Amino acid sequence: MKILIALFVIAVVMLMEGFGIWMLLGINEHEPTSRGRMFWLAVIVVTQWLGGLAYCTYRTLRPIHGRSFFSHRRGSPLKHGWQPHVGGV
């Protein structure tokens, strides 16, 4: 039983750290100014997953250019005239 609890705790900690890393990568991709990047980088490094949660909430409630954090960056390829290859040479 103790082993299952230990494995559960390890899994939860790994998920929280993975979320923090995901938010660190999101800062570089979604934050428009270098000043904002440095601020959020410091917040996430100091507070780890809790800072990542704060950044995720901030970006979801205050999207950049009408896009939320979870929306695709470039939009759908079909909107830009991309057509799938139908066959032939």
Side-chain angles (χ1 to χ4, degrees), residues 5 19-22 30-31 36-37 41 49 58 61-62 68 79-80 84:
I5 293 172
F19 180 73
I21 292 170
W22 181 41
H30 296 283
E31 197 59 36
R37 284 187 198 118
L41 176 70
W49 67 271
Y58 173 75
L61 295 177
R62 187 171 177 232
S68 71
K79 290 181 181 177
H80 300 289

Side-chain angles (χ1 to χ4, degrees), residues 1 6 9 11 17 26 38 40 42-43 61 66 69 76 80-81 83 85:
M1 185 67 177
V9 169
E17 291 302 319
M38 292 304 293
W40 283 111
V43 168
L61 295 177
F69 184 80
S76 172
H80 300 289
Q83 296 295 323
H85 182 67

Side-chain angles (χ1 to χ4, degrees), residues 21-42:
I21 292 170
W22 181 41
M23 291 298 111
L24 284 173
L25 296 174
I27 288 172
N28 191 33
E29 187 174 340
H30 296 283
E31 197 59 36
T33 64
S34 61
R35 194 173 204 186
R37 284 187 198 118
M38 292 304 293
F39 170 75
W40 283 111
L41 176 70

